[in-house]
Amino acid sequence: MAPFSRVGASVKPGAVQAAAQAIRPLVGPGTAVISLQNGVVKEEMLRAALGEAAVVGGVCYIAATIEAPGVIAHSGTLQKLVFGEYGGQRTPRVEAFRQACEQAGIEAVLSEDIARAIWEKFVFLVGLSGATASTRCALGPVRSHPASRRLLLTLMAEAVAVGRAEGVALPPDYAEDRLRFCDQLPADMTASMLRDLLQGHRLELPWLSGDVSRRGALLGVATPYNSALADILALHVQPG
């Protein structure tokens, strides 16, 4: 099979390795494999399977749910992609993808620091998913109670500390910035991890709080809140 110019990888993080092997025949010298999964471990897995040159970093911002098997429902109007080469170059392959997105009516942004963009979403998602799933509550009650608000902030602050230890250019007060952002969001907002928990689906926990805990242990960065949350929800990671 001939190589493709671009290949999108948008499966859940737990399926990355299998997906990488499946798309290997499609990847040639100039192919861009654009990952849109949550988490920061995805590119590491894709690079290991497909080579560093093939991987383009990406972040997807969309409100969507699984309505039925094989049916994804898009709610609201948000449909934004942020992506870019890890060296920050505006290469023909990412510029062509940006133009294709815009022609399809998708807001597309080329990032000069895609690692930071991925971590920015990761920090927010670690907080939102961890706080709403562990409390079984929407964002409104979580941010309103002093104890759960502290949980939300600390989950994000630990993720920021780990990212900065890895060399990602996150501001020291980025968790506080995201907490202010959370105050502007709808009170009924939840993360997909809470919905997966309530519906008995597999959780992304190992690639969110679990990954913060793992990376923190390797780097010598304390992550007690994320580590505890990963332990608390561990029984629900696999359905059944």
Side-chain angles (χ1 to χ4, degrees):
M1 184 176 294
F4 283 42
S5 58
R6 292 178 296 276
V7 177
S10 54
V11 296
K12 288 285 189 177
V16 171
Q17 291 178 330
Q21 295 304 319
I23 66 176
R24 184 189 292 275
L26 309 179
V27 178
T31 303
V33 179
I34 304 174
S35 169
L36 300 174
Q37 298 104 322
N38 292 329
V40 297
V41 73
K42 54 194 177 118
E43 276 82 7
E44 296 170 4
M45 299 167 73
L46 287 171
R47 287 193 195 101
L50 303 172
E52 186 169 345
V55 180
V56 170
V59 180
C60 177
Y61 293 93
I62 188 170
T65 57
I66 301 175
E67 193 172 76
V71 179
I72 306 300
H74 177 198
S75 57
T77 59
L78 181 63
Q79 47 182 16
K80 177 181 177 180
L81 299 181
V82 181
F83 52 90
E85 302 281 2
Y86 271 89
Q89 311 96 318
R90 295 179 70 94
T91 59
R93 65 181 187 175
V94 295
E95 183 60 40
F97 185 56
R98 182 189 65 80
Q99 293 175 3
C101 289
E102 291 183 350
Q103 290 170 4
I106 300 170
E107 182 181 359
V109 177
L110 273 179
S111 172
E112 296 182 354
D113 190 350
I114 191 61
R116 173 173 171 167
I118 290 171
W119 270 87
E120 286 173 346
K121 181 181 179 183
F122 181 62
V123 167
F124 168 70
L125 195 56
V126 163
L128 180 67
S129 64
T132 60
S134 61
T135 60
R136 274 68 163 180
C137 289
L139 178 59
V142 167
R143 70 191 180 198
S144 298
H145 192 284
S148 51
R149 185 179 181 86
R150 182 171 61 250
L151 169 67
L152 173 62
L153 175 61
T154 308
L155 290 171
M156 294 190 292
E158 290 179 358
V160 170
V162 170
R164 285 172 57 82
E166 288 199 359
V168 182
L170 294 168
D173 62 346
Y174 189 66
E176 288 77 6
D177 174 86
R178 292 299 84 189
L179 185 63
R180 291 189 291 271
F181 174 68
C182 287
D183 287 334
Q184 302 169 22
L185 296 173
D188 61 353
M189 185 175 184
T190 64
S192 60
M193 195 164 80
L194 171 58
R195 297 190 291 274
D196 287 340
L197 176 66
L198 297 177
Q199 295 168 11
H201 297 160
R202 185 178 185 183
L203 303 187
E204 290 183 308
L205 181 68
W207 303 283
L208 296 173
S209 283
D211 198 30
V212 173
S213 175
R214 181 185 66 84
R215 291 172 187 270
L218 292 173
L219 293 163
V221 177
T223 61
Y225 275 59
N226 279 283
S227 297
L229 191 143
D231 289 347
I232 290 167
L233 294 178
L235 291 175
H236 304 283
V237 169
Q238 294 287 355

